[in-house]
Short mmCIF file of all heavy atoms in Angstrom, two decimals:
data_model
loop_
_atom_site.label_atom_id
_atom_site.label_comp_id
_atom_site.label_asym_id
_atom_site.label_seq_id
_atom_site.Cartn_x
_atom_site.Cartn_y
_atom_site.Cartn_z
N MET A 1335 -4.34 23.97 -7.67
CA MET A 1335 -4.53 22.59 -7.23
C MET A 1335 -3.19 21.89 -7.01
O MET A 1335 -3.10 21.01 -6.18
CB MET A 1335 -5.38 21.84 -8.26
CG MET A 1335 -5.67 20.42 -7.85
SD MET A 1335 -6.88 19.71 -8.94
CE MET A 1335 -6.34 18.05 -8.95
N SER A 1336 -2.17 22.31 -7.70
CA SER A 1336 -0.86 21.66 -7.58
C SER A 1336 -0.35 21.67 -6.15
O SER A 1336 0.19 20.69 -5.67
CB SER A 1336 0.14 22.35 -8.50
OG SER A 1336 1.41 21.78 -8.35
N ASN A 1337 -0.52 22.80 -5.47
CA ASN A 1337 -0.09 22.88 -4.07
C ASN A 1337 -0.83 21.88 -3.20
O ASN A 1337 -0.26 21.29 -2.30
CB ASN A 1337 -0.27 24.29 -3.53
CG ASN A 1337 0.70 25.26 -4.16
OD1 ASN A 1337 1.74 24.88 -4.66
ND2 ASN A 1337 0.34 26.54 -4.14
N HIS A 1338 -2.13 21.71 -3.46
CA HIS A 1338 -2.91 20.76 -2.68
C HIS A 1338 -2.44 19.33 -2.91
O HIS A 1338 -2.35 18.55 -1.98
CB HIS A 1338 -4.40 20.89 -3.01
CG HIS A 1338 -5.01 22.19 -2.61
ND1 HIS A 1338 -5.04 22.62 -1.32
CD2 HIS A 1338 -5.60 23.15 -3.35
CE1 HIS A 1338 -5.62 23.80 -1.26
NE2 HIS A 1338 -5.96 24.15 -2.49
N LEU A 1339 -2.13 19.00 -4.16
CA LEU A 1339 -1.66 17.65 -4.46
C LEU A 1339 -0.30 17.42 -3.82
O LEU A 1339 -0.03 16.33 -3.32
CB LEU A 1339 -1.60 17.42 -5.97
CG LEU A 1339 -2.95 17.33 -6.68
CD1 LEU A 1339 -2.74 17.17 -8.18
CD2 LEU A 1339 -3.79 16.20 -6.14
N ASP A 1340 0.56 18.44 -3.83
CA ASP A 1340 1.85 18.31 -3.18
C ASP A 1340 1.68 18.06 -1.69
O ASP A 1340 2.42 17.29 -1.09
CB ASP A 1340 2.69 19.57 -3.40
CG ASP A 1340 3.16 19.72 -4.85
OD1 ASP A 1340 3.07 18.73 -5.61
OD2 ASP A 1340 3.58 20.82 -5.21
N LEU A 1341 0.69 18.71 -1.08
CA LEU A 1341 0.42 18.52 0.34
C LEU A 1341 0.03 17.08 0.62
O LEU A 1341 0.48 16.49 1.60
CB LEU A 1341 -0.67 19.48 0.80
CG LEU A 1341 -1.05 19.40 2.27
CD1 LEU A 1341 0.14 19.74 3.16
CD2 LEU A 1341 -2.20 20.35 2.56
N HIS A 1342 -0.79 16.50 -0.25
CA HIS A 1342 -1.19 15.11 -0.05
C HIS A 1342 0.00 14.16 -0.18
O HIS A 1342 0.12 13.20 0.57
CB HIS A 1342 -2.30 14.73 -1.04
CG HIS A 1342 -3.59 15.41 -0.75
ND1 HIS A 1342 -4.02 16.48 -1.48
CD2 HIS A 1342 -4.51 15.21 0.21
CE1 HIS A 1342 -5.17 16.90 -0.98
NE2 HIS A 1342 -5.48 16.16 0.04
N LEU A 1343 0.88 14.44 -1.13
CA LEU A 1343 2.08 13.61 -1.27
C LEU A 1343 2.97 13.75 -0.04
O LEU A 1343 3.54 12.76 0.44
CB LEU A 1343 2.86 14.01 -2.53
CG LEU A 1343 2.17 13.70 -3.86
CD1 LEU A 1343 2.99 14.26 -5.02
CD2 LEU A 1343 1.96 12.21 -4.03
N THR A 1344 3.07 14.95 0.49
CA THR A 1344 3.86 15.19 1.71
C THR A 1344 3.25 14.43 2.88
O THR A 1344 3.96 13.78 3.65
CB THR A 1344 3.91 16.69 2.03
OG1 THR A 1344 4.51 17.37 0.93
CG2 THR A 1344 4.72 16.96 3.29
N ALA A 1345 1.93 14.49 3.01
CA ALA A 1345 1.25 13.78 4.10
C ALA A 1345 1.47 12.28 3.99
O ALA A 1345 1.75 11.61 4.99
CB ALA A 1345 -0.24 14.10 4.09
N ARG A 1346 1.38 11.74 2.78
CA ARG A 1346 1.62 10.31 2.61
C ARG A 1346 3.07 9.96 2.92
O ARG A 1346 3.36 8.91 3.47
CB ARG A 1346 1.25 9.89 1.19
CG ARG A 1346 -0.24 9.81 1.00
CD ARG A 1346 -0.62 9.00 -0.22
NE ARG A 1346 -2.06 8.88 -0.26
CZ ARG A 1346 -2.86 9.67 -0.97
NH1 ARG A 1346 -2.36 10.64 -1.69
NH2 ARG A 1346 -4.16 9.48 -0.95
N GLY A 1347 3.99 10.86 2.57
CA GLY A 1347 5.40 10.64 2.90
C GLY A 1347 5.61 10.56 4.40
O GLY A 1347 6.36 9.71 4.89
N TYR A 1348 4.92 11.43 5.14
CA TYR A 1348 5.02 11.38 6.60
C TYR A 1348 4.45 10.08 7.15
O TYR A 1348 4.99 9.51 8.10
CB TYR A 1348 4.30 12.57 7.24
CG TYR A 1348 5.08 13.85 7.20
CD1 TYR A 1348 4.54 15.00 6.64
CD2 TYR A 1348 6.37 13.92 7.74
CE1 TYR A 1348 5.26 16.18 6.61
CE2 TYR A 1348 7.09 15.10 7.70
CZ TYR A 1348 6.54 16.23 7.14
OH TYR A 1348 7.25 17.38 7.12
N LEU A 1349 3.37 9.59 6.55
CA LEU A 1349 2.81 8.31 7.00
C LEU A 1349 3.80 7.18 6.79
O LEU A 1349 3.97 6.32 7.66
CB LEU A 1349 1.51 8.00 6.24
CG LEU A 1349 0.28 8.81 6.62
CD1 LEU A 1349 -0.90 8.38 5.76
CD2 LEU A 1349 -0.06 8.67 8.09
N ILE A 1350 4.47 7.19 5.65
CA ILE A 1350 5.46 6.14 5.36
C ILE A 1350 6.62 6.24 6.34
O ILE A 1350 7.09 5.23 6.88
CB ILE A 1350 5.94 6.25 3.90
CG1 ILE A 1350 4.80 5.87 2.96
CG2 ILE A 1350 7.16 5.37 3.66
CD1 ILE A 1350 5.05 6.21 1.50
N ASP A 1351 7.10 7.47 6.59
CA ASP A 1351 8.19 7.66 7.56
C ASP A 1351 7.78 7.19 8.94
O ASP A 1351 8.55 6.56 9.66
CB ASP A 1351 8.61 9.13 7.62
CG ASP A 1351 9.32 9.59 6.36
OD1 ASP A 1351 9.75 8.72 5.57
OD2 ASP A 1351 9.44 10.81 6.18
N PHE A 1352 6.56 7.51 9.31
CA PHE A 1352 6.04 7.11 10.62
C PHE A 1352 6.01 5.59 10.74
O PHE A 1352 6.42 5.02 11.74
CB PHE A 1352 4.64 7.69 10.84
CG PHE A 1352 4.03 7.30 12.15
CD1 PHE A 1352 4.51 7.82 13.33
CD2 PHE A 1352 2.96 6.41 12.18
CE1 PHE A 1352 3.95 7.47 14.54
CE2 PHE A 1352 2.40 6.06 13.39
CZ PHE A 1352 2.89 6.58 14.57
N LEU A 1353 5.56 4.92 9.69
CA LEU A 1353 5.51 3.46 9.70
C LEU A 1353 6.92 2.89 9.82
O LEU A 1353 7.16 1.95 10.59
CB LEU A 1353 4.85 2.95 8.42
CG LEU A 1353 4.75 1.44 8.25
CD1 LEU A 1353 3.94 0.83 9.38
CD2 LEU A 1353 4.15 1.09 6.91
N ALA A 1354 7.86 3.47 9.10
CA ALA A 1354 9.23 2.96 9.11
C ALA A 1354 9.88 3.12 10.47
O ALA A 1354 10.73 2.32 10.87
CB ALA A 1354 10.06 3.66 8.06
N THR A 1355 9.50 4.14 11.23
CA THR A 1355 10.14 4.39 12.53
C THR A 1355 9.35 3.80 13.69
O THR A 1355 9.76 3.93 14.84
CB THR A 1355 10.31 5.91 12.76
OG1 THR A 1355 9.03 6.54 12.72
CG2 THR A 1355 11.23 6.51 11.73
N SER A 1356 8.23 3.16 13.40
CA SER A 1356 7.38 2.62 14.46
C SER A 1356 7.36 1.09 14.44
O SER A 1356 6.31 0.48 14.56
CB SER A 1356 5.96 3.16 14.33
OG SER A 1356 5.97 4.55 14.46
N THR A 1357 8.51 0.50 14.27
CA THR A 1357 8.57 -0.95 14.16
C THR A 1357 9.13 -1.60 15.43
O THR A 1357 9.53 -2.76 15.39
CB THR A 1357 9.40 -1.37 12.94
OG1 THR A 1357 10.70 -0.76 13.05
CG2 THR A 1357 8.74 -0.93 11.66
N ALA A 1358 9.17 -0.85 16.52
CA ALA A 1358 9.66 -1.41 17.78
C ALA A 1358 8.73 -2.54 18.22
O ALA A 1358 7.53 -2.50 17.95
CB ALA A 1358 9.72 -0.33 18.84
N PRO A 1359 9.27 -3.57 18.89
CA PRO A 1359 8.44 -4.70 19.32
C PRO A 1359 7.29 -4.28 20.24
O PRO A 1359 6.26 -4.95 20.29
CB PRO A 1359 9.42 -5.60 20.07
CG PRO A 1359 10.77 -5.21 19.58
CD PRO A 1359 10.68 -3.77 19.18
N SER A 1360 7.45 -3.16 20.93
CA SER A 1360 6.40 -2.74 21.86
C SER A 1360 5.21 -2.09 21.14
O SER A 1360 4.15 -1.89 21.75
CB SER A 1360 6.98 -1.74 22.88
OG SER A 1360 7.48 -0.61 22.19
N VAL A 1361 5.37 -1.77 19.85
CA VAL A 1361 4.29 -1.13 19.10
C VAL A 1361 3.34 -2.20 18.57
O VAL A 1361 3.77 -3.18 17.96
CB VAL A 1361 4.87 -0.30 17.92
CG1 VAL A 1361 3.75 0.26 17.06
CG2 VAL A 1361 5.76 0.81 18.44
N ASP A 1362 2.05 -2.01 18.82
CA ASP A 1362 1.03 -2.93 18.32
C ASP A 1362 0.87 -2.69 16.82
O ASP A 1362 0.29 -1.70 16.39
CB ASP A 1362 -0.30 -2.69 19.04
CG ASP A 1362 -1.40 -3.63 18.61
OD1 ASP A 1362 -1.26 -4.28 17.55
OD2 ASP A 1362 -2.41 -3.73 19.32
N GLN A 1363 1.44 -3.59 16.01
CA GLN A 1363 1.47 -3.39 14.57
C GLN A 1363 0.07 -3.40 13.95
O GLN A 1363 -0.18 -2.68 12.98
CB GLN A 1363 2.35 -4.45 13.90
CG GLN A 1363 3.82 -4.35 14.28
CD GLN A 1363 4.44 -3.02 13.87
OE1 GLN A 1363 4.27 -2.56 12.75
NE2 GLN A 1363 5.16 -2.40 14.79
N ASN A 1364 -0.85 -4.19 14.48
CA ASN A 1364 -2.21 -4.20 13.94
C ASN A 1364 -2.90 -2.87 14.18
O ASN A 1364 -3.57 -2.33 13.29
CB ASN A 1364 -3.02 -5.35 14.54
CG ASN A 1364 -2.58 -6.69 14.03
OD1 ASN A 1364 -2.17 -6.82 12.88
ND2 ASN A 1364 -2.65 -7.70 14.88
N GLU A 1365 -2.73 -2.33 15.37
CA GLU A 1365 -3.33 -1.03 15.68
C GLU A 1365 -2.69 0.06 14.82
O GLU A 1365 -3.38 0.93 14.29
CB GLU A 1365 -3.13 -0.71 17.17
CG GLU A 1365 -3.82 0.56 17.61
CD GLU A 1365 -3.72 0.75 19.11
OE1 GLU A 1365 -4.10 -0.17 19.86
OE2 GLU A 1365 -3.24 1.81 19.51
N LEU A 1366 -1.39 0.01 14.67
CA LEU A 1366 -0.69 0.98 13.84
C LEU A 1366 -1.18 0.92 12.40
O LEU A 1366 -1.42 1.95 11.76
CB LEU A 1366 0.82 0.73 13.90
CG LEU A 1366 1.69 1.63 13.04
CD1 LEU A 1366 1.56 3.08 13.48
CD2 LEU A 1366 3.14 1.18 13.12
N ARG A 1367 -1.35 -0.27 11.89
CA ARG A 1367 -1.84 -0.45 10.52
C ARG A 1367 -3.22 0.16 10.35
O ARG A 1367 -3.50 0.85 9.37
CB ARG A 1367 -1.87 -1.95 10.16
CG ARG A 1367 -2.22 -2.22 8.73
CD ARG A 1367 -2.19 -3.71 8.41
NE ARG A 1367 -0.86 -4.26 8.60
CZ ARG A 1367 -0.54 -5.18 9.54
NH1 ARG A 1367 -1.46 -5.65 10.35
NH2 ARG A 1367 0.68 -5.62 9.64
N GLU A 1368 -4.10 -0.05 11.33
CA GLU A 1368 -5.45 0.52 11.27
C GLU A 1368 -5.41 2.05 11.28
O GLU A 1368 -6.14 2.70 10.53
CB GLU A 1368 -6.29 0.02 12.45
CG GLU A 1368 -6.64 -1.46 12.38
CD GLU A 1368 -7.52 -1.80 11.18
OE1 GLU A 1368 -8.44 -1.01 10.89
OE2 GLU A 1368 -7.27 -2.83 10.56
N ILE A 1369 -4.55 2.61 12.10
CA ILE A 1369 -4.43 4.06 12.17
C ILE A 1369 -3.92 4.62 10.85
O ILE A 1369 -4.44 5.61 10.32
CB ILE A 1369 -3.50 4.48 13.33
CG1 ILE A 1369 -4.18 4.15 14.66
CG2 ILE A 1369 -3.13 5.95 13.25
CD1 ILE A 1369 -3.26 4.24 15.86
N LEU A 1370 -2.89 3.99 10.29
CA LEU A 1370 -2.33 4.46 9.03
C LEU A 1370 -3.33 4.34 7.89
O LEU A 1370 -3.43 5.23 7.05
CB LEU A 1370 -1.05 3.69 8.70
CG LEU A 1370 0.14 3.99 9.60
CD1 LEU A 1370 1.30 3.07 9.28
CD2 LEU A 1370 0.55 5.44 9.49
N LEU A 1371 -4.10 3.26 7.85
CA LEU A 1371 -5.13 3.11 6.82
C LEU A 1371 -6.19 4.19 6.96
O LEU A 1371 -6.65 4.77 5.97
CB LEU A 1371 -5.76 1.73 6.89
CG LEU A 1371 -4.93 0.58 6.35
CD1 LEU A 1371 -5.59 -0.76 6.65
CD2 LEU A 1371 -4.68 0.74 4.86
N PHE A 1372 -6.59 4.47 8.19
CA PHE A 1372 -7.59 5.51 8.43
C PHE A 1372 -7.08 6.87 7.96
O PHE A 1372 -7.77 7.61 7.26
CB PHE A 1372 -7.95 5.55 9.93
CG PHE A 1372 -8.92 6.63 10.28
CD1 PHE A 1372 -10.27 6.49 9.98
CD2 PHE A 1372 -8.50 7.79 10.90
CE1 PHE A 1372 -11.17 7.50 10.30
CE2 PHE A 1372 -9.39 8.80 11.23
CZ PHE A 1372 -10.74 8.65 10.92
N LEU A 1373 -5.84 7.21 8.33
CA LEU A 1373 -5.27 8.50 7.92
C LEU A 1373 -5.11 8.58 6.41
O LEU A 1373 -5.39 9.61 5.79
CB LEU A 1373 -3.93 8.73 8.61
CG LEU A 1373 -4.01 8.94 10.13
CD1 LEU A 1373 -2.62 9.00 10.72
CD2 LEU A 1373 -4.80 10.19 10.45
N ASN A 1374 -4.68 7.49 5.78
CA ASN A 1374 -4.55 7.48 4.33
C ASN A 1374 -5.90 7.67 3.66
O ASN A 1374 -6.03 8.39 2.67
CB ASN A 1374 -3.90 6.18 3.86
CG ASN A 1374 -3.60 6.22 2.38
OD1 ASN A 1374 -2.85 7.05 1.91
ND2 ASN A 1374 -4.23 5.32 1.63
N ASN A 1375 -6.94 7.06 4.21
CA ASN A 1375 -8.29 7.22 3.66
C ASN A 1375 -8.75 8.67 3.78
O ASN A 1375 -9.40 9.20 2.88
CB ASN A 1375 -9.27 6.28 4.33
CG ASN A 1375 -9.08 4.85 3.90
OD1 ASN A 1375 -8.45 4.58 2.87
ND2 ASN A 1375 -9.59 3.91 4.68
N LEU A 1376 -8.44 9.32 4.91
CA LEU A 1376 -8.80 10.73 5.06
C LEU A 1376 -8.09 11.60 4.03
O LEU A 1376 -8.69 12.50 3.44
CB LEU A 1376 -8.43 11.22 6.47
CG LEU A 1376 -9.31 10.75 7.62
CD1 LEU A 1376 -8.78 11.31 8.94
CD2 LEU A 1376 -10.75 11.20 7.42
N ILE A 1377 -6.81 11.32 3.81
CA ILE A 1377 -6.04 12.07 2.81
C ILE A 1377 -6.66 11.87 1.43
O ILE A 1377 -6.86 12.82 0.67
CB ILE A 1377 -4.56 11.65 2.82
CG1 ILE A 1377 -3.90 12.06 4.13
CG2 ILE A 1377 -3.82 12.26 1.62
CD1 ILE A 1377 -2.53 11.44 4.36
N THR A 1378 -6.98 10.62 1.09
CA THR A 1378 -7.56 10.32 -0.22
C THR A 1378 -8.91 10.99 -0.39
O THR A 1378 -9.21 11.57 -1.44
CB THR A 1378 -7.70 8.79 -0.41
OG1 THR A 1378 -6.40 8.20 -0.27
CG2 THR A 1378 -8.29 8.44 -1.76
N PHE A 1379 -9.75 10.94 0.64
CA PHE A 1379 -11.08 11.57 0.59
C PHE A 1379 -10.93 13.07 0.34
O PHE A 1379 -11.62 13.65 -0.50
CB PHE A 1379 -11.82 11.30 1.89
CG PHE A 1379 -13.20 11.89 1.94
CD1 PHE A 1379 -14.23 11.34 1.21
CD2 PHE A 1379 -13.45 13.01 2.72
CE1 PHE A 1379 -15.50 11.88 1.25
CE2 PHE A 1379 -14.71 13.56 2.76
CZ PHE A 1379 -15.75 13.01 2.02
N ASP A 1380 -10.02 13.71 1.06
CA ASP A 1380 -9.79 15.14 0.90
C ASP A 1380 -9.27 15.45 -0.50
O ASP A 1380 -9.70 16.41 -1.14
CB ASP A 1380 -8.81 15.63 1.96
CG ASP A 1380 -8.67 17.13 1.97
OD1 ASP A 1380 -9.70 17.83 1.97
OD2 ASP A 1380 -7.52 17.62 1.96
N GLU A 1381 -8.37 14.61 -0.98
CA GLU A 1381 -7.81 14.80 -2.31
C GLU A 1381 -8.89 14.69 -3.38
O GLU A 1381 -8.96 15.50 -4.31
CB GLU A 1381 -6.72 13.75 -2.55
CG GLU A 1381 -5.89 13.95 -3.76
CD GLU A 1381 -4.76 12.93 -3.83
OE1 GLU A 1381 -4.91 11.81 -3.32
OE2 GLU A 1381 -3.73 13.28 -4.41
N LEU A 1382 -9.76 13.70 -3.25
CA LEU A 1382 -10.85 13.53 -4.22
C LEU A 1382 -11.81 14.72 -4.19
O LEU A 1382 -12.30 15.16 -5.23
CB LEU A 1382 -11.60 12.23 -3.95
CG LEU A 1382 -10.83 10.95 -4.26
CD1 LEU A 1382 -11.62 9.73 -3.81
CD2 LEU A 1382 -10.50 10.86 -5.74
N ASN A 1383 -12.08 15.25 -3.00
CA ASN A 1383 -12.95 16.42 -2.89
C ASN A 1383 -12.33 17.64 -3.56
O ASN A 1383 -13.02 18.42 -4.21
CB ASN A 1383 -13.27 16.73 -1.43
CG ASN A 1383 -14.35 15.82 -0.88
OD1 ASN A 1383 -15.17 15.31 -1.63
ND2 ASN A 1383 -14.35 15.63 0.41
N LEU A 1384 -11.02 17.81 -3.41
CA LEU A 1384 -10.35 18.93 -4.07
C LEU A 1384 -10.40 18.80 -5.59
O LEU A 1384 -10.64 19.78 -6.30
CB LEU A 1384 -8.89 19.03 -3.61
CG LEU A 1384 -8.68 19.52 -2.18
CD1 LEU A 1384 -7.22 19.36 -1.78
CD2 LEU A 1384 -9.12 20.96 -2.04
N ILE A 1385 -10.21 17.60 -6.09
CA ILE A 1385 -10.29 17.36 -7.53
C ILE A 1385 -11.70 17.64 -8.02
O ILE A 1385 -11.90 18.29 -9.06
CB ILE A 1385 -9.84 15.92 -7.88
CG1 ILE A 1385 -8.34 15.77 -7.62
CG2 ILE A 1385 -10.19 15.57 -9.32
CD1 ILE A 1385 -7.85 14.33 -7.68
N LYS A 1386 -12.69 17.18 -7.27
CA LYS A 1386 -14.09 17.40 -7.63
C LYS A 1386 -14.40 18.90 -7.67
O LYS A 1386 -15.06 19.37 -8.59
CB LYS A 1386 -15.00 16.69 -6.62
CG LYS A 1386 -16.47 16.84 -6.91
CD LYS A 1386 -17.31 16.12 -5.87
CE LYS A 1386 -18.78 16.40 -6.09
NZ LYS A 1386 -19.60 15.84 -5.01
N GLU A 1387 -13.91 19.65 -6.68
CA GLU A 1387 -14.13 21.09 -6.66
C GLU A 1387 -13.49 21.76 -7.86
O GLU A 1387 -14.07 22.66 -8.45
CB GLU A 1387 -13.57 21.69 -5.37
CG GLU A 1387 -14.36 21.36 -4.13
CD GLU A 1387 -13.68 21.85 -2.85
OE1 GLU A 1387 -12.69 22.60 -2.95
OE2 GLU A 1387 -14.15 21.48 -1.76
N ASP A 1388 -12.29 21.32 -8.24
CA ASP A 1388 -11.62 21.90 -9.40
C ASP A 1388 -12.38 21.61 -10.68
O ASP A 1388 -12.52 22.47 -11.55
CB ASP A 1388 -10.20 21.38 -9.52
CG ASP A 1388 -9.23 22.04 -8.55
OD1 ASP A 1388 -9.63 23.05 -7.92
OD2 ASP A 1388 -8.10 21.56 -8.40
N VAL A 1389 -12.90 20.40 -10.83
CA VAL A 1389 -13.64 20.02 -12.04
C VAL A 1389 -14.95 20.80 -12.12
O VAL A 1389 -15.32 21.30 -13.17
CB VAL A 1389 -13.91 18.49 -12.05
CG1 VAL A 1389 -14.91 18.13 -13.12
CG2 VAL A 1389 -12.61 17.74 -12.25
N GLU A 1390 -15.63 20.94 -10.99
CA GLU A 1390 -16.90 21.68 -10.99
C GLU A 1390 -16.69 23.17 -11.19
O GLU A 1390 -17.56 23.86 -11.68
CB GLU A 1390 -17.65 21.43 -9.68
CG GLU A 1390 -18.18 20.03 -9.55
CD GLU A 1390 -18.82 19.74 -8.19
OE1 GLU A 1390 -18.70 20.58 -7.27
OE2 GLU A 1390 -19.43 18.67 -8.06
N GLY A 1391 -15.50 23.65 -10.85
CA GLY A 1391 -15.21 25.07 -10.99
C GLY A 1391 -14.85 25.48 -12.41
O GLY A 1391 -14.78 26.65 -12.72
N ILE A 1392 -14.65 24.50 -13.28
CA ILE A 1392 -14.25 24.81 -14.67
C ILE A 1392 -15.45 25.24 -15.47
O ILE A 1392 -16.52 24.84 -15.35
CB ILE A 1392 -13.57 23.58 -15.34
CG1 ILE A 1392 -12.23 23.34 -14.65
CG2 ILE A 1392 -13.37 23.80 -16.81
CD1 ILE A 1392 -11.50 22.11 -15.14
#
């Protein structure tokens, strides 16, 4: 499970990097925020499912 959790941290790191580099005035910040929230929710959902699978597998 450790590798999976590391993957989620890496994915969140990429989201943060993406946000930091997407601050040009031409970028629609509201749309960007919605996309980042959606992707973060997908990562969290996947992470919770992996934890649930590990708990049920014990």
